[in-house]
């Protein structure tokens, strides 16, 4: 639920198995973060198919900054005007507990509502929130407003433990079931629990390694 320092620019490259991603993030205002993602999928249309390349955009807005007793709170849109491969929305809260431990919990929709999802609590505002259009949207470039915060919702969460000045240990419960990839047989999904470590030898550079989905090793680097 946090924001980057104002005007900070960051680039991350990483991936696992048959997915590689390059992301460029920029702190547009003190509260608004924008991200552009370019991804390569190997055989995402099924075994033996050609590579697929995908562009997507994210927005993350910090509604509340962290206080002495209150968490930081943010709302976000993922892939809000792309093809819909990463499409999802979330509301998230994070809190620092002591000098070394940070916890996070949130509610997600779209991809982030695909594991152990339940009826959308926003359904009390209208029946249109109960269902979400499915499938991809051509080559993208058009806001997917008819999907925002629609369909099933699910909870996610995790924590970060600052083991040393440079090393952070992470664990999360993810609400992304990788449903499209598993249906096509290009990803093996085994668990919603992901574990990782982040090594930051300098303030402007970090390396990360994660064990995700109960089956995959993921690596990434950020400057």
């Amino acid at each position: 639920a946090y924001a980057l320092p104002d005007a900070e620019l960051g680039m991350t490259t990483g991936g696992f198995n048959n997915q590689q991603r390059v992301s460029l993030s920029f702190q547009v205002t003190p509260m608004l973060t924008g991200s552009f993602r370019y991804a390569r999928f190997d055989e995402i249309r099924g075994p033996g198919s050609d590579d697929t390349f995908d562009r997507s955009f994210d927005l993350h807005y910090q509604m509340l900054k962290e206080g002495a007793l209150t968490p930081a709170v943010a709302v976000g849109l993922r892939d809000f005007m792309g093809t819909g491969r990463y499409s999802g929305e979330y509301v998230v809260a994070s809190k620092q507990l002591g000098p070394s431990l940070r916890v996070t919990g949130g509610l997600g929709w779209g991809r982030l509502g695909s594991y152990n999802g339940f009826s959308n609590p926003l359904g009390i505002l209208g029946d249109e929130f109960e269902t979400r259009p499915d499938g991809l949207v051509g080559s993208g470039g058009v806001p997917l407003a008819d999907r925002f915060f629609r369909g099933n919702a699910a909870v996610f969460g995790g924590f970060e433990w600052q083991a040393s000045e440079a090393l952070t240990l992470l664990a999360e419960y993810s609400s992304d079931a990788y449903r499209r990839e598993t249906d096509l047989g290009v990803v093996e999904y085994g668990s919603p629990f992901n574990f990782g470590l982040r090594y930051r030898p300098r303030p402007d550079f970090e390396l990360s390694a994660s064990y995700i989905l109960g089956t995959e090793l993921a690596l990434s680097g950020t400057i």
Side-chain angles (χ1 to χ4, degrees), residues 106-110 112-123 129-131 149-156 173 175 179:
L107 189 64
W109 291 260
L112 300 178
S114 59
Y115 185 83
N116 275 347
F118 47 83
S119 182
N120 192 347
L122 295 179
F129 287 97
E130 297 288 352
T131 58
F149 302 96
R150 307 291 176 91
N152 283 354
V155 296
F156 60 86
Y173 171 83
S175 55
R179 186 168 295 158

Side-chain angles (χ1 to χ4, degrees), residues 24-216:
L24 187 68
S25 298
F26 181 64
Q27 194 63 31
V28 184
T29 73
M31 310 292 274
L32 179 65
T33 312
S35 297
F36 169 77
R37 182 188 304 104
Y38 190 71
R40 171 189 173 273
F41 303 90
D42 180 22
E43 299 184 337
I44 194 63
R45 294 188 298 273
S49 63
D50 294 333
D51 293 349
T52 297
F53 298 88
D54 186 80
R55 298 178 299 275
S56 55
F57 297 88
D58 301 352
L59 289 176
H60 174 95
Y61 185 76
Q62 188 181 47
M63 297 185 295
L64 295 174
K65 292 187 176 181
E66 185 176 19
L69 299 176
T70 57
V73 178
V75 61
L77 304 174
R78 292 184 59 190
D79 192 10
F80 69 98
M81 56 182 300
T83 62
R85 294 186 189 277
Y86 289 111
S87 177
E89 304 80 44
Y90 59 87
V91 177
V92 62
S94 299
K95 186 74 178 75
Q96 190 77 32
L97 301 178
S100 301
L101 180 64
R102 175 184 291 173
V103 297
T104 288
L107 189 64
W109 291 260
R111 281 196 70 133
L112 300 178
S114 59
Y115 185 83
N116 275 347
F118 47 83
S119 182
N120 192 347
L122 295 179
I124 62 173
L125 302 178
D127 293 341
E128 64 272 17
F129 287 97
E130 297 288 352
T131 58
R132 183 184 186 95
D134 197 11
L136 304 180
V137 187
S139 58
V142 178
L144 307 177
D146 63 339
R147 303 188 181 198
F148 294 170
F149 302 96
R150 307 291 176 91
N152 283 354
V155 296
F156 60 86
F159 70 84
E160 304 173 42
W161 177 264
Q162 193 76 35
S164 69
E165 184 175 348
L167 182 64
T168 303
L169 307 180
L170 307 99
E172 71 170 359
Y173 171 83
S174 172
S175 55
D176 184 348
Y178 281 77
R179 186 168 295 158
R180 185 184 305 279
E181 293 88 341
T182 55
D183 287 347
L184 291 170
V186 296
V187 166
E188 183 180 352
Y189 184 90
S191 172
F193 296 100
N194 302 323
F195 305 91
L197 55 86
R198 182 172 61 228
Y199 178 63
R200 182 175 289 181
R202 304 199 313 260
D204 59 352
F205 175 72
E206 70 178 40
L207 294 171
S208 297
S210 306
Y211 182 66
I212 63 174
L213 311 179
T215 59
E216 301 287 349

